[in-house]
Amino acid sequence: MNWMDHGLSIEIIPPKEFNFNECLVFLGRSENEILHQIRAGYLYKLVKINGELILLKIGSTSQSIHVEFPIHTPSKSVLGGVAEYVWEWFDLDQELGAFYQMARQDRVLASIADKYYGLRIMCIPDLFEALTWAIIGQQINLTFAYTLKKRFVEQFGECQTFKGQTFWFFPTYEKIASIEVSDLRELQFSVRKAEYVIGIAQAMTSGQLTKEDLLQQQEYQLVHRTLTAIRGVGAWTADYVMMKCLHHPAAFPIADVGLHNALKLQLGLERKPTIEEIRELASDWNSWQAYATFYLWRSLYE
DNA sequence: ATCCAGGAACTGT
DNA sequence: ACAGTTCATGGA
């Protein structure tokens, strides 16, 4: 992690292959997103550092990312925590040189890797949020998924208001562990999804499920098995969470409908490819499947 | 109206 | 192991 403490703000020096504006395009894909806002080239997000809610205002020059604090005067330890958070959110530990080298030779990826150069996987550092968002998104269209997430966050999350704008923080698992299935049914969750989300919240509250344990397990197969043992988490959700939260570059949600649509579009196919055809197309993506998938998702929003 | 959506568990064979 | 069914509702 490479960053500087400027007292009332911080400056983060990302690796070479990084383009803030490409990341903003991805973050701005839904009007109904409630967990961050984009205004005049700045990204606003409410985060929790050392148990304290902090509003971030994030901008970028060609060489660096800078973070300001519109509401708070941050302490030293908060500044460090914020740098860590932003570094992880933008997936800045990845060195993408090898990805672009592979992608340039790849029939599917060549054009989009060039077109979206510098785009990073926009991560979901909070494990509970990553799992919940994946479960919400199962088998419904993305627009409705955002609507459900918005209701969920507004009902059970925390917020701060600044200059007439309200900024939201995702509900904690402790909070969700104490609610009932009927509370989520009122928001139009299905009974199943409500059970899954509350069950995961309870497992996390009791300490049975932690991000630290999953990070420590490291090996793809082991983590994947641990995740799919959770009720509500199948192969797709496990790969989604490994990609967006646990930073596994080989995570590959191969059954994803968005991936299928993007491949169809990129290759000009008349129908969506089969799983076997995708395995063939992806045969050279070794250890970059997550980035390949993310760039293909990006290609769906122009 | 009809089909599908960033799936997964459950049931029956 | 594998295939079919159910869940649940909005968007296009």
Side-chain angles (χ1 to χ4, degrees), chain A residues 69-302:
Chain A
F69 304 89
I71 302 180
H72 310 85
T73 303
S75 67
K76 289 285 179 195
S77 78
V78 164
L79 290 178
V82 168
E84 233 168 85
Y85 183 87
V86 173
W87 192 267
E88 184 176 5
W89 189 20
F90 285 87
D91 201 31
L92 297 181
D93 265 343
Q94 295 288 345
E95 293 290 344
L96 297 187
F99 169 65
Y100 290 122
Q101 199 175 346
M102 176 278 286
R104 272 197 294 275
Q105 315 292 326
D106 190 89
R107 174 180 166 211
V108 176
L109 301 177
S111 66
I112 58 177
D114 181 55
K115 194 170 175 185
Y116 310 130
Y117 182 85
L119 172 67
R120 298 266 157 178
I121 291 179
M122 292 312 304
C123 294
I124 305 176
D126 176 2
L127 176 64
F128 180 59
E129 180 187 336
L131 282 162
T132 300
W133 175 230
I135 287 166
I136 286 174
Q138 289 170 2
Q139 192 58 18
I140 60 174
N141 65 72
L142 263 184
T143 308
F144 184 45
Y146 275 105
T147 301
L148 287 180
K149 180 170 89 166
K150 185 166 185 290
R151 290 176 188 160
F152 182 72
V153 171
E154 286 177 342
Q155 183 79 48
F156 301 110
E158 300 163 67
C159 67
Q160 280 198 2
T161 300
F162 175 67
K163 288 189 178 171
Q165 293 285 331
T166 300
F167 299 89
W168 286 94
F169 183 74
F170 198 77
T172 63
Y173 51 79
E174 292 96 335
K175 171 82 176 176
I176 302 307
S178 70
I179 68 173
E180 304 291 330
V181 167
S182 59
D183 296 322
L184 293 179
R185 280 293 296 147
E186 287 175 20
L187 309 184
Q188 287 185 289
F189 279 57
S190 66
V191 171
R192 296 258 174 87
K193 287 186 181 183
E195 290 171 352
Y196 299 162
V197 168
I198 293 170
I200 285 168
Q202 290 172 345
M204 293 189 73
T205 300
S206 73
Q208 292 167 37
L209 174 63
T210 69
K211 183 177 178 183
E212 288 62 40
D213 287 346
L214 293 171
L215 286 174
Q216 203 159 12
Q217 287 183 0
Q218 289 188 332
E219 200 217 336
Y220 173 88
Q221 288 298 342
L222 178 58
V223 178
H224 200 270
R225 273 199 301 274
T226 305
L227 285 170
T228 51
I230 300 166
R231 184 159 181 264
V233 179
W236 177 87
T237 301
D239 279 307
Y240 182 87
V241 169
M242 291 178 73
M243 169 180 174
K244 298 271 287 188
C245 181
L246 302 173
H247 313 282
H248 282 257
F252 192 22
I254 195 167
D256 181 75
V257 176
L259 174 70
H260 301 173
N261 287 331
L263 286 169
K264 178 184 169 196
L265 206 65
Q266 281 303 307
L267 297 168
L269 308 176
E270 295 200 345
R271 55 165 178 78
K272 292 189 280 191
T274 65
I275 297 295
E276 278 315 307
E277 288 166 339
I278 296 171
R279 282 191 211 290
E280 181 60 32
L281 290 167
S283 58
D284 292 333
W285 298 356
N286 293 330
S287 81
W288 290 109
Q289 291 92 334
Y291 263 87
T293 300
F294 198 74
Y295 272 60
L296 283 161
W297 283 346
R298 166 65 181 85
S299 73
L300 291 172
Y301 328 110
E302 218 21 75

